Amino acid sequence: MALNAGLACHGLRFGWPGEQGDDRILLQAVTAWFQPGRVSLVTGATGAGKSTLLHLLGGLLRPVAGEVRAEDQPVSRWPARHRDPWRRRVGMVFQHLALVPDLSVAENLLLPLVPRGMKWSAMQAAITRQLEAVELGQLAAKPVYTLSGGQRQRLAIARALVGAPRFVLADEPTAFQDDRQAARICAQMGAVARTGVVVVIGSHDPRLRNASEVDDRWHLAAGRLTAVGPPQAAP
Ligand SMILES: Nc1ncnc2c1ncn2[C@@H]1O[C@H](COP(=O)(O)OP(=O)(O)O)[C@@H](O)[C@H]1O
Ligand SMILES: [Mg+2]
């Protein structure tokens, strides 16, 4: 594997402001690498910092120390005007979904595509394809507020994937899914990774922990991320 491919973090340190104005350090010195073509799973108890780590990896938060590198570029150090184009290459599935409830299912997928200046027909084709992939094709015109929790979460997955991102960061993507859909989402993440995409999933769902599609496993506890199972070759 090329040295500079994929997503990596080095000595990542992050804290949320505590009640006394002091920073409560959540991530101590997190070093990890996430390779294209592979599904990486980050497990950890609730509150371990999985969501925070994904937000750092996707450039939504800045580390206090250390850095995030994407294809060997120090993306976490970039000023906002450089970071925005980088973020467009990242597909994020938020734990709290962050959909626009008053817009239709299809319109929610249109939003991330509009800034890309794609042709209307190309946008339509991408939207239709993603909705079919998450079994929401029949609901394209429905307002999001009429969807079930599971359907909304699948829409959030479709929105993350619709712009053909090179990096997919999925936070608890199976939380609201039944076993059949959870298995389908695992297969989908595996298929996306096989096209050369970096896929990082944060989850404590045992169905994901045991999924055959997961290639690399990391565990987050006490502010540290450790590789689980057979050692992964460092890039
Ligand atoms: N915006 C925030 N402001 C302050 N504290 C936060 C914020 N987001 C998360 N935290 C705290 O950081 C810790 C880790 O949260 P999170 O990253 O969501 O963990 P996980 O996803 O593993 O459950 C929790 O103690 C949480 O309360
Ligand atoms: Mg979380």
Side-chain angles (χ1 to χ4, degrees):
M1 205 199 60
L3 239 155
N4 57 359
L7 190 59
C9 53
H10 302 279
L12 216 57
R13 184 177 172 84
F14 185 83
W16 289 107
E19 273 144 37
Q20 274 83 47
D22 51 326
D23 276 6
R24 207 167 45 83
I25 294 303
L26 179 64
L27 303 175
Q28 299 280 359
V30 169
T31 295
W33 46 94
F34 307 104
Q35 301 178 25
R38 298 177 76 81
V39 176
S40 301
L41 177 67
V42 175
T43 55
T46 302
K50 301 180 296 297
S51 297
T52 302
L53 175 62
L54 291 179
H55 291 181
L56 283 160
L57 289 174
L60 298 170
L61 293 171
R62 273 190 206 275
V64 175
E67 65 180 10
V68 177
R69 297 182 80 86
E71 293 168 349
D72 217 22
Q73 298 295 312
V75 288
S76 63
R77 297 186 189 278
W78 283 353
R81 68 178 186 284
H82 284 156
R83 230 164 34 145
D84 292 348
W86 139 248
R87 277 201 211 133
R88 241 168 265 153
R89 304 180 61 213
V90 178
M92 189 89 145
V93 182
F94 292 95
Q95 182 167 8
H96 300 294
L97 309 184
L99 299 166
V100 186
D102 289 324
L103 292 185
S104 75
V105 165
E107 284 164 345
N108 269 267
L109 296 196
L110 195 55
L111 285 180
L113 296 182
V114 168
R116 290 159 197 262
M118 289 164 72
K119 279 191 182 153
W120 179 249
S121 58
M123 290 196 289
Q124 288 298 312
I127 290 170
T128 304
R129 194 171 139 254
Q130 281 308 322
L131 288 182
E132 297 292 331
V134 297
E135 300 185 357
L136 290 178
Q138 306 297 315
L139 301 180
K142 294 270 188 227
V144 165
Y145 64 77
T146 64
L147 267 53
S148 74
Q151 289 168 337
R152 287 180 203 207
Q153 185 168 48
R154 295 195 328 263
L155 178 56
I157 293 170
R159 185 186 54 187
L161 298 178
V162 73
R166 305 309 296 159
F167 307 88
V168 172
L169 306 174
D171 200 354
E172 308 283 359
T174 55
F176 310 136
Q177 305 301 327
D178 61 26
D179 287 351
R180 185 182 72 81
Q181 286 291 353
R184 201 197 47 66
I185 289 165
C186 288
Q188 186 176 15
M189 292 294 159
V192 168
R194 295 327 154 224
T195 66
V197 170
V198 172
V199 177
V200 185
I201 303 176
S203 178
H204 60 250
D205 187 339
R207 297 175 300 188
L208 267 166
R209 219 164 39 226
N210 300 323
S212 61
E213 290 86 357
V214 173
D215 301 295
D216 299 325
R217 292 175 166 79
W218 300 84
H219 187 70
L220 187 57
R224 298 190 185 273
L225 191 63
T226 44
V228 180
Q232 298 151 43

